[in-house]
PDB file of all heavy atoms in Angstrom:
ATOM      1  N   GLN A  31      -2.479   5.611 -14.762  1.00 94.00           N
ATOM      2  CA  GLN A  31      -1.284   6.435 -14.952  1.00 94.00           C
ATOM      3  C   GLN A  31      -0.352   6.400 -13.740  1.00 94.00           C
ATOM      4  O   GLN A  31       0.776   6.880 -13.812  1.00 94.00           O
ATOM      5  CB  GLN A  31      -1.681   7.891 -15.219  1.00 94.00           C
ATOM      6  CG  GLN A  31      -2.388   8.106 -16.525  1.00 94.00           C
ATOM      7  CD  GLN A  31      -2.740   9.574 -16.743  1.00 94.00           C
ATOM      8  OE1 GLN A  31      -2.496  10.420 -15.898  1.00 94.00           O
ATOM      9  NE2 GLN A  31      -3.326   9.869 -17.902  1.00 94.00           N
ATOM     10  N   TYR A  32      -0.823   5.857 -12.623  1.00 96.00           N
ATOM     11  CA  TYR A  32      -0.086   5.959 -11.370  1.00 96.00           C
ATOM     12  C   TYR A  32       0.371   4.603 -10.862  1.00 96.00           C
ATOM     13  O   TYR A  32      -0.375   3.624 -10.892  1.00 96.00           O
ATOM     14  CB  TYR A  32      -0.959   6.619 -10.301  1.00 96.00           C
ATOM     15  CG  TYR A  32      -1.272   8.055 -10.605  1.00 96.00           C
ATOM     16  CD1 TYR A  32      -2.391   8.388 -11.349  1.00 96.00           C
ATOM     17  CD2 TYR A  32      -0.437   9.065 -10.147  1.00 96.00           C
ATOM     18  CE1 TYR A  32      -2.671   9.711 -11.638  1.00 96.00           C
ATOM     19  CE2 TYR A  32      -0.716  10.393 -10.438  1.00 96.00           C
ATOM     20  CZ  TYR A  32      -1.830  10.710 -11.185  1.00 96.00           C
ATOM     21  OH  TYR A  32      -2.105  12.025 -11.476  1.00 96.00           O
ATOM     22  N   ALA A  33       1.597   4.570 -10.367  1.00 97.00           N
ATOM     23  CA  ALA A  33       2.023   3.458  -9.530  1.00 97.00           C
ATOM     24  C   ALA A  33       1.360   3.631  -8.166  1.00 97.00           C
ATOM     25  O   ALA A  33       1.066   4.757  -7.746  1.00 97.00           O
ATOM     26  CB  ALA A  33       3.536   3.452  -9.392  1.00 97.00           C
ATOM     27  N   MET A  34       1.125   2.528  -7.496  1.00 98.00           N
ATOM     28  CA  MET A  34       0.460   2.576  -6.197  1.00 98.00           C
ATOM     29  C   MET A  34       1.333   1.938  -5.125  1.00 98.00           C
ATOM     30  O   MET A  34       2.004   0.928  -5.382  1.00 98.00           O
ATOM     31  CB  MET A  34      -0.877   1.838  -6.268  1.00 98.00           C
ATOM     32  CG  MET A  34      -1.876   2.457  -7.235  1.00 98.00           C
ATOM     33  SD  MET A  34      -2.314   4.148  -6.808  1.00 98.00           S
ATOM     34  CE  MET A  34      -3.118   3.873  -5.218  1.00 98.00           C
ATOM     35  N   GLY A  35       1.287   2.524  -3.967  1.00 98.00           N
ATOM     36  CA  GLY A  35       2.058   1.983  -2.861  1.00 98.00           C
ATOM     37  C   GLY A  35       1.219   1.877  -1.601  1.00 98.00           C
ATOM     38  O   GLY A  35       0.190   2.548  -1.471  1.00 98.00           O
ATOM     39  N   TRP A  36       1.658   1.015  -0.713  1.00 98.00           N
ATOM     40  CA  TRP A  36       1.081   0.908   0.628  1.00 98.00           C
ATOM     41  C   TRP A  36       2.191   1.186   1.641  1.00 98.00           C
ATOM     42  O   TRP A  36       3.303   0.653   1.519  1.00 98.00           O
ATOM     43  CB  TRP A  36       0.501  -0.480   0.881  1.00 98.00           C
ATOM     44  CG  TRP A  36      -0.780  -0.748   0.175  1.00 98.00           C
ATOM     45  CD1 TRP A  36      -0.940  -1.365  -1.033  1.00 98.00           C
ATOM     46  CD2 TRP A  36      -2.102  -0.430   0.635  1.00 98.00           C
ATOM     47  NE1 TRP A  36      -2.275  -1.445  -1.355  1.00 98.00           N
ATOM     48  CE2 TRP A  36      -3.008  -0.875  -0.348  1.00 98.00           C
ATOM     49  CE3 TRP A  36      -2.621   0.192   1.773  1.00 98.00           C
ATOM     50  CZ2 TRP A  36      -4.402  -0.732  -0.230  1.00 98.00           C
ATOM     51  CZ3 TRP A  36      -3.976   0.338   1.897  1.00 98.00           C
ATOM     52  CH2 TRP A  36      -4.866  -0.113   0.901  1.00 98.00           C
ATOM     53  N   PHE A  37       1.878   2.012   2.613  1.00 98.00           N
ATOM     54  CA  PHE A  37       2.773   2.325   3.708  1.00 98.00           C
ATOM     55  C   PHE A  37       2.015   2.077   5.008  1.00 98.00           C
ATOM     56  O   PHE A  37       0.795   1.946   5.010  1.00 98.00           O
ATOM     57  CB  PHE A  37       3.224   3.788   3.635  1.00 98.00           C
ATOM     58  CG  PHE A  37       4.193   4.061   2.516  1.00 98.00           C
ATOM     59  CD1 PHE A  37       3.757   4.143   1.208  1.00 98.00           C
ATOM     60  CD2 PHE A  37       5.541   4.246   2.788  1.00 98.00           C
ATOM     61  CE1 PHE A  37       4.646   4.385   0.172  1.00 98.00           C
ATOM     62  CE2 PHE A  37       6.438   4.494   1.758  1.00 98.00           C
ATOM     63  CZ  PHE A  37       5.988   4.564   0.458  1.00 98.00           C
ATOM     64  N   ARG A  38       2.747   2.052   6.100  1.00 98.00           N
ATOM     65  CA  ARG A  38       2.092   1.909   7.395  1.00 98.00           C
ATOM     66  C   ARG A  38       2.854   2.690   8.449  1.00 98.00           C
ATOM     67  O   ARG A  38       4.057   2.917   8.327  1.00 98.00           O
ATOM     68  CB  ARG A  38       1.980   0.440   7.793  1.00 98.00           C
ATOM     69  CG  ARG A  38       3.306  -0.261   8.073  1.00 98.00           C
ATOM     70  CD  ARG A  38       3.079  -1.743   8.294  1.00 98.00           C
ATOM     71  NE  ARG A  38       4.324  -2.441   8.606  1.00 98.00           N
ATOM     72  CZ  ARG A  38       4.425  -3.757   8.718  1.00 98.00           C
ATOM     73  NH1 ARG A  38       3.362  -4.541   8.554  1.00 98.00           N
ATOM     74  NH2 ARG A  38       5.591  -4.316   9.004  1.00 98.00           N
ATOM     75  N   ARG A  39       2.109   3.084   9.475  1.00 98.00           N
ATOM     76  CA  ARG A  39       2.716   3.763  10.612  1.00 98.00           C
ATOM     77  C   ARG A  39       2.222   3.102  11.881  1.00 98.00           C
ATOM     78  O   ARG A  39       1.027   3.154  12.177  1.00 98.00           O
ATOM     79  CB  ARG A  39       2.367   5.254  10.627  1.00 98.00           C
ATOM     80  CG  ARG A  39       3.148   6.022  11.693  1.00 98.00           C
ATOM     81  CD  ARG A  39       2.556   7.387  11.936  1.00 98.00           C
ATOM     82  NE  ARG A  39       2.508   8.209  10.747  1.00 98.00           N
ATOM     83  CZ  ARG A  39       3.481   9.011  10.335  1.00 98.00           C
ATOM     84  NH1 ARG A  39       4.611   9.067  11.021  1.00 98.00           N
ATOM     85  NH2 ARG A  39       3.328   9.742   9.246  1.00 98.00           N
ATOM     86  N   ALA A  40       3.154   2.494  12.593  1.00 97.00           N
ATOM     87  CA  ALA A  40       2.828   1.881  13.884  1.00 97.00           C
ATOM     88  C   ALA A  40       2.950   2.935  14.978  1.00 97.00           C
ATOM     89  O   ALA A  40       3.659   3.937  14.802  1.00 97.00           O
ATOM     90  CB  ALA A  40       3.773   0.722  14.155  1.00 97.00           C
ATOM     91  N   PRO A  41       2.291   2.735  16.108  1.00 92.00           N
ATOM     92  CA  PRO A  41       2.358   3.715  17.197  1.00 92.00           C
ATOM     93  C   PRO A  41       3.805   3.982  17.610  1.00 92.00           C
ATOM     94  O   PRO A  41       4.577   3.047  17.857  1.00 92.00           O
ATOM     95  CB  PRO A  41       1.587   3.026  18.324  1.00 92.00           C
ATOM     96  CG  PRO A  41       0.648   2.106  17.628  1.00 92.00           C
ATOM     97  CD  PRO A  41       1.375   1.621  16.418  1.00 92.00           C
ATOM     98  N   GLY A  42       4.168   5.262  17.645  1.00 94.00           N
ATOM     99  CA  GLY A  42       5.497   5.649  18.075  1.00 94.00           C
ATOM    100  C   GLY A  42       6.596   5.417  17.063  1.00 94.00           C
ATOM    101  O   GLY A  42       7.777   5.573  17.389  1.00 94.00           O
ATOM    102  N   LYS A  43       6.238   5.041  15.843  1.00 96.00           N
ATOM    103  CA  LYS A  43       7.251   4.755  14.828  1.00 96.00           C
ATOM    104  C   LYS A  43       7.054   5.620  13.600  1.00 96.00           C
ATOM    105  O   LYS A  43       5.999   6.215  13.396  1.00 96.00           O
ATOM    106  CB  LYS A  43       7.196   3.278  14.437  1.00 96.00           C
ATOM    107  CG  LYS A  43       7.584   2.327  15.563  1.00 96.00           C
ATOM    108  CD  LYS A  43       7.694   0.908  15.060  1.00 96.00           C
ATOM    109  CE  LYS A  43       8.162  -0.033  16.154  1.00 96.00           C
ATOM    110  NZ  LYS A  43       8.310  -1.432  15.663  1.00 96.00           N
ATOM    111  N   GLU A  44       8.095   5.645  12.771  1.00 97.00           N
ATOM    112  CA  GLU A  44       8.010   6.372  11.511  1.00 97.00           C
ATOM    113  C   GLU A  44       7.151   5.591  10.510  1.00 97.00           C
ATOM    114  O   GLU A  44       7.028   4.359  10.593  1.00 97.00           O
ATOM    115  CB  GLU A  44       9.416   6.564  10.924  1.00 97.00           C
ATOM    116  CG  GLU A  44      10.362   7.371  11.779  1.00 97.00           C
ATOM    117  CD  GLU A  44      10.030   8.843  11.721  1.00 97.00           C
ATOM    118  OE1 GLU A  44       9.712   9.326  10.619  1.00 97.00           O
ATOM    119  OE2 GLU A  44      10.073   9.505  12.768  1.00 97.00           O
ATOM    120  N   ARG A  45       6.621   6.309   9.555  1.00 97.00           N
ATOM    121  CA  ARG A  45       5.901   5.648   8.471  1.00 97.00           C
ATOM    122  C   ARG A  45       6.894   4.820   7.661  1.00 97.00           C
ATOM    123  O   ARG A  45       8.008   5.280   7.380  1.00 97.00           O
ATOM    124  CB  ARG A  45       5.227   6.687   7.576  1.00 97.00           C
ATOM    125  CG  ARG A  45       4.374   6.099   6.469  1.00 97.00           C
ATOM    126  CD  ARG A  45       3.485   7.155   5.852  1.00 97.00           C
ATOM    127  NE  ARG A  45       4.233   8.273   5.301  1.00 97.00           N
ATOM    128  CZ  ARG A  45       3.666   9.393   4.870  1.00 97.00           C
ATOM    129  NH1 ARG A  45       2.358   9.546   4.961  1.00 97.00           N
ATOM    130  NH2 ARG A  45       4.420  10.361   4.363  1.00 97.00           N
ATOM    131  N   GLU A  46       6.492   3.609   7.286  1.00 98.00           N
ATOM    132  CA  GLU A  46       7.403   2.730   6.562  1.00 98.00           C
ATOM    133  C   GLU A  46       6.733   2.141   5.330  1.00 98.00           C
ATOM    134  O   GLU A  46       5.517   1.931   5.290  1.00 98.00           O
ATOM    135  CB  GLU A  46       7.909   1.591   7.458  1.00 98.00           C
ATOM    136  CG  GLU A  46       6.848   0.622   7.918  1.00 98.00           C
ATOM    137  CD  GLU A  46       7.423  -0.598   8.626  1.00 98.00           C
ATOM    138  OE1 GLU A  46       8.661  -0.752   8.689  1.00 98.00           O
ATOM    139  OE2 GLU A  46       6.621  -1.414   9.116  1.00 98.00           O
TER     140      GLU A  46
END
Side-chain angles (χ1 to χ4, degrees):
Q31 293 181 357
Y32 294 89
M34 297 299 296
W36 286 95
F37 288 76
R38 67 187 182 187
R39 188 194 302 271
K43 294 188 176 181
E44 298 285 319
R45 184 166 58 189
E46 65 171 355

